[in-house]
Amino acid sequence: MNGPRIVISIVSHQQGGLVRDLLLDLAAQCKADVRLVLTLNVPEVLPINVSDYPLPIELIRNERPKGFGANHNQAFQRVSGDYFCVVNPDIRLIDDPFDKLVACLLESGASLAAPVVTNPQGQIEDSARRFPTPIRILGKAIGLSRPTDYEPSSRPFNPDWAGGMFMLFQWAAFQEVSGFDERFFLYYEDVDLCARLRLSGHDIVVCPSVRVTHAARRASHQDLRYLKWHFASITRFFCSLVFLKLAIRGLLSSRSVTS
């Protein structure tokens, strides 16, 4: 394979079936020089044999569960490359996203690229967002916010942050900001990382020519542990120096894009 090396990090929480489907998509669609790091965060028996997989996979079995950011930081440290891609197991690929995402990064000068994310019915999810504030969180809780922060666009655009279900980073930029803040066990680690990228002078771009499907399972709606982690992460972010710096630099202002 020619071109830049892309390291893809996937973390499974007893999601072997979803991982199998995503790996089949990657094998069928990807033409880029791809290396995979698959982390089993909890013990499980995979429905595939990774040694038979057509793309190289490094398998990590955690002795104890780690948080979202800690798992992906661990993967980043295991393999080197030109780009680092974080992908959730419940993502499905329509076609090869990587050539277009890399091109979008190079053309825009951004350090993080994300696709448009849709649900299985084809509706666009709110994966490109403005930075949260307490007022915006309250508005969302009482149903006063819009379904998405940015209007659909046919051109690349620059949101405040992109959701962690699919993120492609310039390798050096991810390394410069020391990756994810592992104090966020789950939720808001993507918000925090995008904020630190922006505060360091890096930009984020969404590429409308690239779409992926996200079969989300809203665990936080069903399990009190996830609600607890969600609330703890929101509190940590709003009490952080990062959030204070965003406010001081005026990066919490309202921005939108139209097609």
Side-chain angles (χ1 to χ4, degrees):
M1 295 182 182
N2 298 318
R5 174 180 287 189
I6 300 169
V7 176
I8 301 174
S9 176
I10 304 167
V11 180
S12 177
H13 305 267
Q14 295 185 332
Q15 298 166 298
L18 292 174
V19 170
R20 176 198 59 216
D21 293 343
L22 175 56
L23 294 182
L24 289 173
D25 284 353
L26 288 166
Q29 302 291 354
C30 291
K31 302 176 180 65
D33 183 358
V34 170
R35 301 288 187 272
L36 302 172
V37 180
L38 173 59
T39 302
L40 305 185
N41 200 33
V42 293
E44 66 176 297
V45 177
L46 290 174
I48 56 171
N49 187 344
V50 296
S51 63
D52 295 335
Y53 190 68
L55 297 175
I57 299 178
E58 177 165 351
L59 184 64
I60 301 174
R61 295 181 183 271
N62 287 343
E63 293 183 0
R64 60 184 63 183
K66 299 178 184 288
F68 180 97
N71 276 311
H72 290 300
N73 286 349
Q74 174 181 249
F76 181 82
Q77 294 162 4
R78 297 289 283 265
V79 186
S80 62
D82 300 298
Y83 299 93
F84 181 61
C85 190
V86 170
V87 183
N88 277 8
D90 54 6
I91 289 291
R92 298 302 306 272
L93 303 183
I94 302 167
D95 51 23
D96 185 355
F98 295 106
D99 285 346
K100 291 179 180 179
L101 286 174
V102 168
C104 197
L105 278 177
L106 296 176
E107 291 169 6
S108 66
S111 295
L112 165 58
V116 170
V117 179
T118 67
N119 64 21
Q121 291 73 45
Q123 299 166 322
I124 295 176
E125 293 193 349
D126 59 338
S127 62
R129 310 172 191 175
R130 293 182 294 159
F131 285 126
T133 65
I135 292 177
R136 288 175 191 154
I137 293 294
L138 177 61
K140 183 176 181 180
I142 62 178
L144 295 181
S145 61
R146 296 180 300 176
T148 59
D149 286 346
Y150 296 89
E151 297 296 331
S153 174
S154 60
R155 302 183 302 272
F157 64 94
N158 305 110
D160 286 350
W161 66 282
M165 71 284 289
F166 195 117
M167 311 171 89
L168 180 69
F169 298 90
Q170 294 271 12
W171 192 275
F174 188 88
Q175 189 170 46
E176 179 187 329
V177 297
S178 301
F180 290 103
D181 185 339
E182 297 181 12
R183 293 174 295 178
F184 292 88
F185 183 80
L186 187 63
Y187 304 114
Y188 271 66
E189 58 281 292
D190 44 8
V191 184
D192 170 80
L193 179 52
C194 289
R196 287 186 286 112
L197 282 170
R198 286 203 168 281
L199 290 168
S200 297
H202 298 281
D203 212 346
I204 297 157
V205 64
V206 170
C207 311
S209 61
V210 183
R211 294 197 172 206
V212 300
T213 301
H214 184 215
R217 299 181 179 183
R218 305 296 185 184
S220 62
H221 293 178
Q222 305 168 14
D223 192 322
L224 289 178
R225 292 178 305 161
Y226 290 86
L227 285 172
K228 179 180 176 181
W229 288 329
H230 205 157
F231 180 77
S233 293
I234 291 173
T235 303
R236 178 179 294 280
F237 180 72
F238 288 150
C239 294
S240 69
L241 183 60
V242 170
F243 183 73
L244 177 61
K245 288 180 178 179
L246 288 177
I248 292 173
R249 298 195 187 184
L251 296 178
L252 297 175
S253 61
S254 175
R255 296 190 301 169
S256 63
V257 63
T258 57
S259 59

